[in-house]
Amino acid sequence: MTLILCLTAVGFGIGSAGAQVLVQYTPPGGPRETEPRRQELERELAAARYRLGPVRIAPWASLRDVAYVRSILFTGERLPNDVTATAGLGFRAYLRNGSKATWTAQVLPEYVWWDRQTQRRQLNGRYSLGFSGFFNHLTLEVRAGRDQQQQIVTPEVPTPVSSRREGAEVLTELELTGAFSLFAAVSANRQNNLVEDVSDPDIANLRFLDRDERVERGGVRWRPNRRWSVALGGEHIAVDFTHRGALDRSHSGTAPVTEVRFNGNHVTLQADAAVRSLSASRGAAFVPFHGVTGGVGLTLGERGRRVNGLLYSSRNLIYSLSPLYAYLIDQRLGTAVIASFGERTQGRLFVEGGTNDYTAFAATTPRLREDVSSYGASLTFALHRALSLGIQGVRTRYDSNLPGGDRTFTSVGTTISLTGFP
């Protein structure tokens, strides 16, 4: 326990990608199926077949996001159509202390390549240390590290850029009875968008979204059986933007939070909501926000069937890059069809729509509202138990009520992933 606390003290500010409470951008397509951390860890341990003394090693290689990208920005300017790819080679390592405690480490460097925009080539990667302890009545997880990947960080600039997230988090849950438990989580993270050397001014402005986030959350969870999980609690968040001035959106606030999970034979439900009350920090430009954020996903269909349906909706607060607006409310409603073609092939087809409603600093500022529509598809082939091939495409269009605000993002590409070399 002393060693764990030391790792926590060192990790805050330099460690891993913790939970991001205010989502800056969510890719279209709806929520993905996840599994409990304990099951995920057991699966990873089973796949780590190489040994270095007591340490299990799982090599990793990936060639992903080999894509043709076409973007039109908020100003109506078109970026050069380009081709990008990300290649990585690394490993994950696991050290077990008995049957209930596991130390983990991952070193997954990646190189991002662009054909025409050579200034955007970047060495990225994911690096972390962690501890997972699943004891009789106590669960304890500690993670610290860096997650630096290419991604879209705001709908105002719909083009992928390299973004770094580093920090640490501690999660713990104490079982009180067979059905009730107490949980707590603390995280501290720093978000940096690596755009200092980019010549395009719209992309370079993404540095104004660099920020530090601190989150404390706690509450009670009820699990009456294996299908149901309901959590109620409270949360405090503090966000400090690195770049001061007109685009300083620093703020803090509290929220009651709730989470519901249900795993049935024909229906799966996952939902979370927070009733947020946020106010500006001293000297910052932020309009107070009082409202609900969160999301819900409903999967219909019997497990193991060839075709399942997904209905989903979300509402998130996103910081704005405009000096006229503090933030926007991103609301979406979508549906997806998930189909299996045999044991090795799975496809996903989705369509979604929604709105981006901007909150202005002044009442005299024109109202800004965008209609957002997205559609896309993906196809994944399991070529081997350690080798998979994916093909994906997505197109998103933003139609603004103000002249010159329309923009689009289109990407078509492929991904090859190799985990646990045979």
Side-chain angles (χ1 to χ4, degrees):
M1 289 295 292
T2 302
L3 184 58
I4 294 171
L5 295 175
C6 290
L7 173 63
T8 304
V10 175
F12 275 89
I14 64 171
S16 103
Q20 189 169 359
V21 176
L22 294 178
V23 179
Q24 188 60 23
Y25 176 81
T26 302
R32 304 287 173 165
E33 184 178 355
T34 60
E35 59 182 330
R37 176 55 184 160
R38 187 169 189 173
Q39 296 180 15
E40 180 185 31
L41 184 59
E42 292 297 332
R43 178 177 53 80
E44 292 176 352
L45 283 166
R49 298 185 294 129
Y50 292 90
R51 299 280 186 145
L52 185 61
V55 179
R56 301 185 188 185
I57 304 293
W60 168 88
S62 176
L63 177 63
R64 65 183 181 88
D65 298 339
V66 182
Y68 167 83
V69 176
R70 179 177 179 271
S71 297
I72 299 178
L73 300 182
F74 190 81
T75 58
E77 178 184 356
R78 175 176 294 179
L79 291 176
N81 298 339
D82 211 339
V83 176
T84 181
T86 300
L89 180 65
F91 67 90
R92 293 184 175 93
Y94 308 87
L95 174 63
R96 293 208 92 158
N97 292 127
S99 60
K100 299 179 180 180
T102 305
W103 295 89
T104 61
Q106 67 174 5
V107 179
L108 310 176
E110 296 180 324
Y111 181 73
V112 178
W113 173 83
W114 288 83
D115 181 27
R116 300 177 63 182
Q117 303 173 75
T118 58
Q119 75 278 7
R120 298 178 65 184
R121 296 175 183 175
Q122 179 77 39
L123 180 62
N124 289 343
R126 291 165 288 165
Y127 311 91
S128 68
L129 293 172
F131 173 84
S132 298
F134 301 99
F135 307 105
N136 291 339
H137 299 281
L138 176 68
T139 296
L140 177 64
E141 294 187 73
V142 181
R143 290 191 290 268
R146 169 185 291 182
D147 189 344
Q148 183 173 312
Q149 298 188 70
Q150 181 170 264
Q151 58 189 319
I152 295 176
V153 298
T154 172
E156 291 177 299
V157 184
T159 189
V161 299
S162 291
S163 180
R164 177 192 301 155
R165 186 169 178 83
E166 53 191 0
E169 63 180 356
V170 180
L171 304 95
T172 184
E173 185 162 347
L174 177 64
E175 181 180 322
L176 300 178
T177 67
F180 288 94
S181 61
L182 297 176
F183 67 87
V186 179
S187 68
N189 294 280
R190 170 164 292 180
Q191 176 87 30
N192 288 310
N193 299 307
L194 309 179
V195 294
E196 290 81 359
D197 299 328
V198 176
S199 57
D200 187 279
D202 294 296
I203 299 177
N205 285 340
L206 292 174
R207 68 184 186 277
F208 293 117
L209 296 179
D210 295 352
R211 60 195 182 273
D212 295 331
E213 297 176 352
R214 300 181 305 278
V215 181
E216 302 91 33
R217 175 179 287 192
V220 60
R221 193 184 310 276
W222 176 55
R223 293 190 184 93
N225 51 53
R226 293 185 177 182
R227 294 187 173 188
W228 280 101
S229 173
V230 179
L232 297 173
E235 171 187 280
H236 176 265
I237 178 174
V239 180
D240 295 319
F241 278 66
T242 304
H243 297 274
R244 304 298 181 181
L247 293 178
D248 181 7
R249 308 289 195 245
S250 300
H251 62 276
S252 62
T254 59
V257 295
T258 183
E259 176 188 279
V260 178
R261 298 287 185 269
F262 175 74
N263 293 302
N265 294 330
H266 300 275
V267 175
T268 300
L269 172 68
Q270 53 181 359
D272 62 87
V275 184
R276 302 197 178 280
S277 180
L278 304 174
S279 58
S281 302
R282 179 176 298 179
F286 186 85
V287 178
F289 173 79
H290 303 282
V292 178
T293 64
V296 59
L298 181 66
T299 303
L300 305 175
E302 186 178 356
R303 292 184 178 182
R305 294 190 62 179
R306 293 186 177 273
V307 179
N308 288 325
L310 171 65
L311 301 174
Y312 59 92
S313 180
S314 64
R315 186 176 194 264
N316 290 307
L317 182 150
I318 298 179
Y319 309 116
S320 175
L321 282 171
S322 170
L324 300 178
Y325 303 92
Y327 48 78
L328 60 106
I329 303 300
D330 176 5
Q331 300 185 92
R332 302 189 200 177
L333 178 64
T335 183
V337 176
I338 306 166
S340 298
F341 307 96
E343 297 182 356
R344 296 179 174 270
T345 304
Q346 186 178 78
R348 186 184 184 99
L349 178 68
F350 72 88
V351 59
E352 67 179 46
T355 59
N356 289 340
D357 282 306
Y358 288 72
T359 297
F361 287 109
T364 56
T365 302
R367 184 191 179 192
L368 176 54
R369 175 188 170 97
E370 298 167 343
D371 293 324
V372 185
S373 59
S374 299
Y375 60 88
S378 64
L379 197 60
T380 303
F381 305 90
L383 305 178
H384 186 271
R385 65 181 180 184
L387 178 64
S388 63
L389 169 66
I391 302 172
Q392 58 277 334
V394 61
R395 177 176 174 82
T396 301
R397 179 175 178 83
Y398 302 86
D399 294 316
S400 175
N401 67 315
L402 297 182
D406 297 349
R407 58 200 185 278
T408 63
F409 173 77
T410 305
S411 176
V412 178
T414 186
T415 295
I416 300 174
S417 180
L418 182 61
T419 58
F421 299 164

